[in-house]
Structure formats: C-alpha cells, structure tokens
Amino acid sequence: MYLVKVYVMYKDSILDPQGEAVKGAIHRLGYLAVEEVRIGKYFEMKLSKSDADIEKQVNEICDKLLANVNMESYRYEIVEEK
Amino acid sequence: MKFAVIVFPGSNCDADLLWALKNVLGQEAEYVRHDATSLTGYAGVFLPGGFSYGDYLRCGAIARFSKIMPEVIRFAKEGKPVFGTCNGFQILIEAGLLPGALIRNDSLKFICKSVKLRVQNNQTVFTREYLEQEEILLPIAHGEGNYKCDAQTLVKLKENHQIVFTYSDENPNGSIEQIAGITNKRGNVLGMMPHPERAMEQLLGSDDGLRLFQSVINHTRKKAKQ
C-alpha cells in the first residue's frame, strides 16, 4: 500500500482572499509578525501496489482533478506502507 | 428545434432555465441528466446554476467529469451553442471549454443581488438582440465568481472580442477587468456568472435576460433553415 499526500496551493500570482481574511484575524489576535497567510488543500490517498507507475498516476489525478492548474500548483509525497 | 437543460446532482437553477425556454419563450426544451450520454437532436445546450456535487473540491470540478460532459464538449466543438450560467460557467471553465478560472469573491461573501452589466459584444450568438454597450440589469448569486486569467489570456480575450458582459456600476466579486461573461474564441460557448433566466419577466424586476434566449433561438432557427 502507498500513502500519497497531496498539497494543493493557489499559485503565488493568485490573490488568496481567504488567506487574507485569516491573516487579518491573526493580526487582531496580536500576532503582527505574520506577514502572509495562504490557504491550500491537503489530500491523502491510499493506493494499492500495482505494476503501474504510481507517480504517473498521481500526476494525472492531480492534473485532471485535484488541482486546477490554471490557478493552483501541487506537490506530493509518496510513503510506502505495510 | 429542441433545447437541452443539463441536470447535475445539486443543480438548482435547472427549473428556471426550462421555464425560460419553455414557458416564457414557448420553445421545445427538456432536462437531460448528468449520466446521459447523448445530445443528438438538440439545437442548443444550457448548463444551469446551482451547486453541482455540492461544490466539493472546487465549483464545477466534479461535474466536469459527469458522463454527459464528453458529449457537451463534442457538441461545443461542432460549433453549436452551449450556455452556462453561474455553476454552469464554472463547469465550462473546469471542462476547458472556456479559459481562465473562477475563484472566491474578493469580499469572501456570497453575493445575491441585481447588478448592472454592460454588453461589450453584441455580435455573438447569445447577444445579437442587445445593443452594443447597452446597460442591462441581471441578478447574481454566487460565492466564487471572481474571474481570473493570466495576462496572455486577457490579451487574447480582448483581441477576439470574447469579453461579452462586464459589470458596469460596481465590481461585485473582484473579477479582472470587471468581467462577468466570456465566450470561447469561436463564440459558440458562453459562460457568465449573472442569471439571465431569473430576469425573464418584469414581474421579477427585470426582463433583460429575455433577449439572450431570443438571440440563441433566432440563431438556431436561422441555422436550421440553412
């Protein structure tokens, strides 16, 4: 079994209004050192071991569905599990 | 001449679209389910607003992989009219039929009210009944209608006159260049955040949506005669 951890974030060029709102709240709590907040998504997928190239599969899933590559970028980690 | 209104799980403006086409304009129109596989025999396709698949993941991202969508894409590639309002616009973008992306409103608020739009291009299948630069009143109701695209795409949108509607008084969601609706390069696919199907009768505060549907009907009628 593989555990795949996928992180999807807005690209730097895209304003993240949700992140900006949370930053405002953090500032109101008094943590003025926080200069930027960006909010993304985290996915965990479990894949069974197969002959197919797992990285290829994960890339395809991210490109097609998990991220909108017009505005989001992604990275992932693959952990082998027993 | 028959029109299709696609129904996804979570669509909630499908009845409004059908009402607009059938009851207000007297056209033949019917629902087509998300898991249907054919659009044969239809003259135009309408994607409704709502919350397809609960808007999980991203608005429109899951609907884009419905069984009917390869057929919608084929239909669009044949040059036939495809219209998406609100969630329908989001689905068309996710499907790659229209460029760019729709992100959360810059206010972070869901906005539901009537706004003034300007008709920037009245030479499309969807807007021939309007005047160039005419100001019209249509309702919006969305949380993620903030249109974004990269600089290159924006240049192309302008060059090809793909920006069809802009917000005229105020920019409710933060869209780049006040964009409210765009077409594809060929001009047969229109996506817009405002709801023309909710502005079909003066009783509802505006009938400015009427002429969008009349434009499509006139266009398809002309095509059918050719």
Side-chain angles (χ1 to χ4, degrees), chain A residues 8 10 14-22 41 43 62 64-68 70-72, chain B residues 57-58 61-62 64-65 93-94 98-108 144 146 148:
Chain A
V8 176
Y10 274 139
I14 302 275
L15 172 74
D16 176 3
Q18 205 173 189
E20 290 294 309
V22 171
K41 292 173 195 156
F43 303 81
C62 289
K64 280 186 192 164
L65 185 64
L66 299 189
N68 177 335
N70 282 322
M71 56 177 171
E72 293 167 330
Chain B
L57 191 59
R58 294 179 308 277
I62 301 178
R64 181 256 173 278
F65 290 101
I93 285 207
E94 285 286 343
L98 295 171
L102 289 161
I103 66 170
R104 194 169 293 239
N105 297 346
D106 61 358
S107 65
L108 291 177
E144 299 194 20
N146 183 351
K148 291 285 177 273

Side-chain angles (χ1 to χ4, degrees), chain B residues 3 9 12 17 33 37 39 57 61 65 70 79 88 106 116 118 125 130 147 151 171 174 182 188 203-204 206 215 218:
Chain B
F3 296 99
N12 66 8
L17 273 179
R33 277 174 58 99
T37 52
L39 288 168
L57 191 59
F65 290 101
D106 61 358
K116 281 189 185 158
R118 197 170 291 286
V125 170
Y130 294 107
Y147 183 80
N171 188 342
I182 56 167
N188 66 305
L203 183 67
L204 299 174
S206 168
S215 300
N218 291 347

Side-chain angles (χ1 to χ4, degrees), chain B residues 84-118:
Chain B
T85 174
C86 204
N87 194 236
F89 184 15
Q90 292 160 342
I91 296 167
L92 291 174
I93 285 207
E94 285 286 343
L97 286 173
L98 295 171
L102 289 161
I103 66 170
R104 194 169 293 239
N105 297 346
D106 61 358
S107 65
L108 291 177
K109 289 183 180 130
F110 185 97
I111 302 165
C112 181
K113 63 176 180 182
S114 288
V115 295
K116 281 189 185 158
L117 302 180
R118 197 170 291 286

Side-chain angles (χ1 to χ4, degrees), chain A residues 5-44:
Chain A
K5 302 175 176 181
V6 182
Y7 304 85
V8 176
M9 295 293 294
Y10 274 139
K11 287 179 181 169
D12 286 341
S13 57
I14 302 275
L15 172 74
D16 176 3
Q18 205 173 189
E20 290 294 309
V22 171
K23 184 176 82 178
I26 292 173
H27 284 180
R28 287 193 293 280
L29 288 173
Y31 302 101
L32 299 174
V34 176
E35 287 178 10
E36 194 180 352
V37 177
R38 293 184 77 78
I39 296 178
K41 292 173 195 156
Y42 170 65
F43 303 81
E44 284 189 356

Side-chain angles (χ1 to χ4, degrees), chain B residues 51-225:
Chain B
F51 299 85
S52 57
Y53 296 86
D55 273 355
Y56 293 135
L57 191 59
R58 294 179 308 277
C59 302
I62 301 178
R64 181 256 173 278
F65 290 101
S66 293
K67 268 194 190 163
I68 193 64
M69 284 309 290
E71 185 67 354
V72 172
I73 292 166
R74 181 193 66 76
F75 195 89
K77 298 235 153 108
E78 282 180 2
K80 292 174 184 158
V82 175
F83 172 77
T85 174
C86 204
N87 194 236
F89 184 15
Q90 292 160 342
I91 296 167
L92 291 174
I93 285 207
E94 285 286 343
L97 286 173
L98 295 171
L102 289 161
I103 66 170
R104 194 169 293 239
N105 297 346
D106 61 358
S107 65
L108 291 177
K109 289 183 180 130
F110 185 97
I111 302 165
C112 181
K113 63 176 180 182
S114 288
V115 295
K116 281 189 185 158
L117 302 180
R118 197 170 291 286
V119 180
Q120 296 291 354
N121 180 357
N122 74 336
Q123 295 302 308
T124 78
V125 170
F126 308 93
T127 53
R128 291 233 166 86
E129 297 296 316
Y130 294 107
L131 303 170
E132 186 91 42
Q133 296 297 315
E134 183 179 350
E135 217 173 51
I136 60 172
L137 188 72
L138 293 183
I140 57 166
H142 60 253
E144 299 194 20
N146 183 351
Y147 183 80
K148 291 285 177 273
C149 65
D150 58 32
Q152 248 181 326
T153 307
L154 187 62
V155 169
K156 280 196 184 146
L157 287 177
K158 287 182 180 170
E159 270 175 15
N160 303 325
H161 307 288
Q162 288 171 255
I163 300 170
V164 174
F165 296 111
T166 54
Y167 301 107
S168 70
D169 257 11
E170 50 165 342
N171 188 342
N173 48 37
S175 283
I176 187 167
E177 306 254 331
Q178 317 260 109
I179 287 173
I182 56 167
T183 61
N184 60 344
K185 193 178 170 194
R186 194 168 172 183
N188 66 305
V189 178
L190 171 68
M192 63 192 293
M193 287 315 296
H195 288 274
E197 80 283 9
R198 293 189 192 172
M200 298 296 288
E201 292 158 278
Q202 271 302 342
L203 183 67
L204 299 174
S206 168
D207 62 0
D208 285 344
L210 199 56
R211 282 175 289 156
L212 188 145
F213 293 90
Q214 279 168 339
S215 300
V216 182
I217 292 163
N218 291 347
H219 168 83
T220 45
R221 197 174 286 147
K222 236 188 262 168
K223 280 265 162 194
K225 273 190 194 158

